[in-house]
């Protein structure tokens, strides 16, 4: 059974803290994605990675960075958390190649920044 | 440019009655289209996908969707709603052949099933 796991389901951090969200997939997928989900806005792409150490900005990369040192792991970093980064964060992975491949999602991390 | 519009933010149906969740898309390339479901506090699960084969696509849990190029639509249907179908549903378009990995998500339709 395919699996994408995220390090925390719920996280509470203070403004200005550095925050790490981690995602691991066990499907040997080349592509990995970080989204944030906000009510009424659907999912918005923050960053994606198509290979180890490779990354591309998505639609809303400001205030975020990512790291992919190993194929199975993709980390999202909030360098200095702010209250407007309170959101649900979803990680996903997919096979390489045609964009017809579906993405598999983790359970999400609900981050609250106070 | 690519976009997807889910025409209803909320839909309520009675248990046992048909479900229709509407989705229109715009794509410069031949699209791949997906429907995902998200139950409360869970990640997204793929219901079904269209990738240029049959225009009527069957998915899990009795859902199906029909790709209509002339109407640029990909509406999701189910003949008889079950209480467990209550969730949020997302329509997604991905432009094939554009050299991008991007998925464009709709803003979601929350389905409520009344007993």
């Amino acid at each position: 059974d395919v699996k994408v796991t995220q390090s925390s389901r719920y996280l509470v951090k203070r403004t200005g803290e550095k925050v790490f969200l981690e995602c691991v997939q066990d499907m040997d997928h080349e592509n990995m994605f970080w989204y944030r989900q906000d009510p009424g806005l659907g999912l918005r792409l923050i960053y994606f990675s198509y290979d180890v150490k490779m990354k591309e900005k998505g639609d809303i990369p400001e205030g975020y960075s990512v790291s992919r040192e190993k194929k199975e792991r993709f980390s999202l970093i909030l360098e200095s958390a702010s209250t407007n980064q309170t959101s649900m964060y979803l990680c996903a992975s997919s096979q390489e190649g045609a964009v017809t491949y579906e993405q598999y999602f983790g359970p999400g991390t609900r981050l609250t920044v106070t | 440019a690519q976009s997807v519009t889910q025409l209803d933010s909320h839909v309520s149906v009675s248990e046992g009655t048909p479900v229709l969740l509407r989705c229109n898309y715009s794509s410069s390339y031949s699209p791949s289209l997906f429907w995902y479901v998200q139950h409360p506090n869970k990640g997204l699960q793929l219901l079904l996908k269209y990738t240029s084969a049959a225009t009527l696509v069957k998915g899990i849990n009795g859902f199906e969707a029909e790709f209509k190029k002339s109407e640029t639509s990909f509406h999701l249907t189910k003949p008889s709603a079950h209480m467990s179908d209550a969730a949020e549903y997302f329509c997604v378009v991905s432009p094939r052949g554009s050299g991008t990995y991007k998925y464009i998500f709709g803003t979601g339709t929350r389905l409520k099933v009344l007993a």
Side-chain angles (χ1 to χ4, degrees):
Chain A
D1 197 18
V2 298
K3 206 160 187 183
V4 179
T5 57
Q6 295 184 229
S7 50
S8 306
R9 292 300 306 275
Y10 300 93
L11 210 52
V12 180
K13 294 292 181 181
R14 294 191 182 275
T15 302
E17 279 193 83
K18 191 168 186 175
V19 182
F20 293 87
L21 304 182
E22 298 211 318
C23 174
V24 177
Q25 51 97 0
D26 66 357
M27 297 164 280
D28 202 34
H29 284 167
E30 290 79 9
N31 302 328
M32 296 188 74
F33 307 81
W34 275 108
Y35 295 91
R36 66 175 281 176
Q37 182 180 16
D38 300 290
L41 297 178
L43 274 73
R44 293 178 291 167
L45 182 65
I46 304 171
Y47 268 97
F48 73 93
S49 168
Y50 50 92
D51 202 350
V52 174
K53 296 190 187 295
M54 306 303 288
K55 62 187 178 185
E56 283 199 25
K57 293 180 180 179
D59 299 316
I60 52 164
E62 297 78 18
Y64 304 94
S65 61
V66 291
S67 171
R68 192 165 180 203
E69 297 295 320
K70 293 186 177 182
K71 189 176 185 180
E72 68 271 17
R73 190 178 296 269
F74 191 35
S75 300
L76 180 70
I77 304 152
L78 287 65
E79 296 288 344
S80 176
S82 64
T83 54
N84 64 12
Q85 293 178 310
T86 291
S87 187
M88 171 72 95
Y89 290 88
L90 291 165
C91 175
S93 71
S94 74
Q95 286 179 261
E96 163 65 15
V99 294
T100 52
Y101 289 118
E102 62 265 33
Q103 294 185 11
Y104 294 87
F105 285 83
T109 296
R110 188 167 294 282
L111 173 66
T112 303
V113 182
T114 61
Chain B
Q2 283 70 235
S3 66
V4 59
T5 302
Q6 291 184 242
L7 295 158
D8 306 293
S9 58
H10 293 81
V11 170
S12 290
V13 300
S14 297
E15 192 175 22
T17 65
V19 176
L20 169 64
L21 305 183
R22 298 182 294 165
C23 173
N24 286 107
Y25 70 90
S26 171
S27 179
S28 305
Y29 298 84
S30 296
S32 293
L33 293 154
F34 306 81
W35 275 99
Y36 282 84
V37 61
Q38 185 180 33
H39 288 93
N41 298 313
K42 296 284 178 67
L44 275 70
Q45 179 186 16
L46 181 70
L47 275 178
L48 49 82
K49 64 179 180 181
Y50 165 78
T51 57
S52 84
T55 56
L56 182 62
V57 181
K58 294 189 184 298
I60 62 171
N61 300 334
F63 285 94
E64 62 181 40
E66 187 171 7
F67 173 68
K68 291 188 176 180
K69 187 175 180 180
S70 60
E71 298 177 12
T72 60
S73 69
F74 191 57
H75 301 334
L76 181 70
T77 60
K78 183 174 180 177
S80 176
H82 191 272
M83 295 298 288
S84 60
D85 295 328
E88 189 155 26
Y89 292 78
F90 292 94
C91 183
V92 181
V93 63
S94 184
R96 281 180 288 123
S98 66
T100 177
Y101 299 99
K102 271 189 121 173
Y103 273 37
I104 296 104
F105 285 80
T107 52
T109 298
R110 190 168 294 279
L111 176 66
K112 189 173 182 179
V113 182
L114 307 170

